[in-house]
Amino acid sequence: MKILGIESSCDETAASVVEDGRRLLSFVVQTQIDIHKQYGGVVPEVAARSHIEVINPVINQALSDADCTWNDIDAIAVTYAPGLIGSLLVGTLAARTLAIIHNKPLYPIHHVEAHVYANFIIEKSENEANSTVGRHLQTELVGASGPSPESDVKPFRANGSRNGDLELPNEQPGFPMLALIVSGGHTQLMLFRDHGDYELLGQTQDDAVGEAFDKVAKILGLPYPGGPSIAKAASHGDPQKYQLPKSRLQNPYDFSFSGLKTALLRAVQHETGHDYTFPSHQLSALLDDVMRNDFAASFQHIAVETLVDKAEKAFNDYSPASVVIAGGVAANQELRRQLSNRLPIAIKYAPPQLCTDNAAMIATLGYFMAQKIDPSDPYDFEVIPSLSMTKTAWANV
Ligand code: KG4
Ligand code: ZN
């Protein structure tokens, strides 16, 4: 069964074809990072407009990389929640239209749940011709959508690597499965008993861990997106240089990162000799590279250790058959290192390209959903910008 996945919930426009919820046939990701970099974060209106420009060529590219015509596609899966409303509307409108025109079943995908399903992709296409997925799409996209002032000054960029470069796990995770979900908007520990059957063990009470990485990067004057910038700076720094606190919460599986971010701000103020009356956005100019790297390393160390502490406790309490990490922060090498050191089972990590936003995870979850629930009506299909993953219809089947 071949599923076309479509993702446009934030600042990546993506489409992929995945077969039987395990075999990656194509992987196209058109990132807007270069566009939003100048603003230091995602600008929702700009994101929606950029999705409109590239959605059709991205989908066409995914079909042609997979060597598929519409006849070969069995269903469409699209992100409908959560995310930026304008961005979600672009992907869902494209998916609904295509489902109607080509008479395909349509499945609504919860973006955060889909991140977990990146771990179920274990095979890639055998077809050599398809191994060019994720290539620079500039020529095709400009050609297909017509040159616009936007595309002239800010070249399109695909951040996926070549399919052949993806190092995939060799088997799918077993149930019960403990999932540590760590993205820009979510930080959750979930216990999956089966597909669509899961329990929220704990979640952040304030900032998501990716959000903390992004905010701390701003304090330190490191470029957007903050996670990879912090990871890079941290690799040159001393993680023990600054002692930062870990939060304690009533539910041992809950998280809190806003105190850590404030503690880091206070440490930077202390180090530079300024109190809170000094504008915090001017602090970074007073840091030298050694301080910046040490702050990044100290923050990353504690943020990651906090995640691993909770995951280890949940592992000991629930004895899952497998552990997976999901979401953009799952690309972090220090998280992978600490988790592997602390947990007594071998963890098969998804390649970093599948951890950040993409449509392969959407198509993969779509496959498992198609085994259990009826498709949605493309004429009556709403987007939901804010929705807990425990509230999806499929979770209640
Ligand atoms: O899952 P994702 O691509 O988008 C959301 O659904 O939120 O996650 C984006 C988040 C951002 O906060 C980004 O800074 C963080 O993931 N991130 C990382 C790394 N790569 C991306 N954080 C730490 N280390 C990384 N290598
Ligand atoms: Zn995401």
Side-chain angles (χ1 to χ4, degrees):
M1 188 175 193
K2 288 180 183 160
I3 312 268
L4 170 70
I6 299 174
E7 155 66 34
S8 73
S9 65
C10 189
D11 60 344
E12 256 98 31
T13 321
S16 267
V17 180
V18 174
E19 189 172 15
D20 296 339
R22 60 193 289 134
R23 191 170 309 112
L24 186 63
L25 300 188
S26 65
F27 184 80
V28 180
V29 180
Q30 186 64 41
T31 184
Q32 301 173 6
I33 284 179
D34 287 347
I35 298 173
H36 297 292
K37 212 170 203 161
Q38 59 191 306
Y39 307 110
V42 179
V43 183
E45 288 78 6
V46 177
R49 222 186 90 186
S50 303
H51 285 305
I52 292 172
E53 284 188 15
V54 302
I55 187 89
N56 286 336
V58 162
I59 292 170
N60 289 338
Q61 188 70 49
L63 289 172
S64 88
D65 282 353
D67 241 345
C68 283
T69 67
W70 277 104
N71 280 341
D72 303 313
I73 298 296
D74 296 292
I76 300 174
V78 64
T79 306
Y80 81 111
L84 301 170
I85 185 162
S87 294
L88 288 168
L89 280 169
V90 178
T92 52
L93 204 54
R96 292 167 64 191
T97 310
L98 292 167
I100 292 166
I101 294 173
H102 299 289
N103 196 20
K104 303 291 175 189
L106 178 65
Y107 291 93
I109 302 294
H110 191 283
H111 176 91
V112 181
E113 185 181 1
H115 268 299
V116 174
Y117 279 77
N119 291 286
F120 285 79
I121 300 170
I122 56 168
E123 292 172 29
K124 48 198 173 190
S125 159
E126 296 296 316
N127 185 347
E128 240 338 276
N130 296 346
S131 68
T132 53
V133 294
R135 68 185 118 147
H136 265 257
L137 295 176
Q138 182 171 9
T139 333
E140 292 102 311
L141 289 177
V142 173
S145 62
S148 71
E150 194 93 347
S151 45
D152 284 346
V153 287
K154 300 173 194 91
F156 293 103
R157 194 178 133 225
N159 70 349
S161 71
R162 292 168 72 89
N163 195 3
D165 295 343
L166 291 177
E167 255 190 59
L168 299 170
N170 47 17
E171 60 183 26
Q172 293 184 324
F175 295 106
M177 169 179 79
L178 179 67
L180 175 63
I181 304 173
V182 282
S183 73
H186 294 79
T187 306
Q188 301 178 337
L189 263 173
M190 310 272 315
L191 187 70
F192 281 64
R193 295 199 174 78
D194 196 351
H195 298 294
D197 175 6
Y198 39 75
E199 181 189 338
L200 177 68
L201 301 181
Q203 62 185 334
T204 185
Q205 300 300 299
D206 40 56
D207 292 353
V209 63
E211 191 180 350
F213 269 84
D214 294 337
K215 287 179 176 170
V216 165
K218 271 197 176 174
I219 295 171
L220 299 179
L222 293 165
Y224 166 87
S229 301
I230 296 246
K232 192 167 165 214
S235 67
H236 304 292
D238 173 5
Q240 307 298 337
K241 179 69 195 280
Y242 300 102
Q243 299 307 309
L244 298 168
K246 280 189 199 165
S247 56
R248 282 183 185 279
L249 297 148
Q250 219 167 11
N251 173 356
Y253 307 122
D254 277 346
F255 303 87
S256 163
F257 290 100
S258 102
L260 172 58
K261 174 201 64 195
T262 306
L264 179 122
L265 175 62
R266 297 284 174 261
V268 172
Q269 287 164 335
H270 184 261
E271 189 75 34
T272 55
H274 288 278
D275 69 10
Y276 62 89
T277 55
F278 188 79
S280 55
H281 66 274
Q282 290 179 22
L283 280 172
S284 65
L286 307 175
L287 295 172
D288 62 29
D289 279 350
V290 174
M291 288 179 195
R292 194 171 283 118
N293 294 343
D294 287 346
F295 274 121
S298 302
F299 164 78
Q300 177 179 263
H301 178 73
I302 290 293
V304 164
E305 200 169 77
T306 304
L307 296 172
V308 176
D309 286 349
K310 314 261 170 177
E312 186 185 35
K313 171 152 180 55
F315 181 88
N316 291 335
D317 292 350
Y318 291 93
S319 306
S322 66
V323 177
V324 298
I325 55 175
V329 183
N332 187 278
Q333 295 303 323
E334 176 64 10
L335 173 60
R336 292 168 179 229
R337 194 188 64 77
Q338 285 197 29
L339 207 56
S340 291
N341 280 351
R342 295 263 298 274
L343 294 188
I345 55 167
I347 305 174
K348 307 279 192 316
Y349 297 106
Q353 298 92 325
L354 294 184
C355 292
T356 45
D357 288 351
N358 66 82
M361 65 188 199
I362 307 296
T364 305
L365 175 52
Y367 168 79
F368 289 104
M369 210 174 237
Q371 314 303 307
K372 268 197 169 175
I373 65 165
D374 291 334
S376 296
D377 178 356
Y379 290 97
D380 182 20
F381 191 100
E382 302 278 326
V383 301
I384 310 182
S386 175
L387 179 74
S388 161
M389 121 188 199
T390 53
K391 299 256 167 33
T392 61
W394 128 275
N396 300 320
V397 176

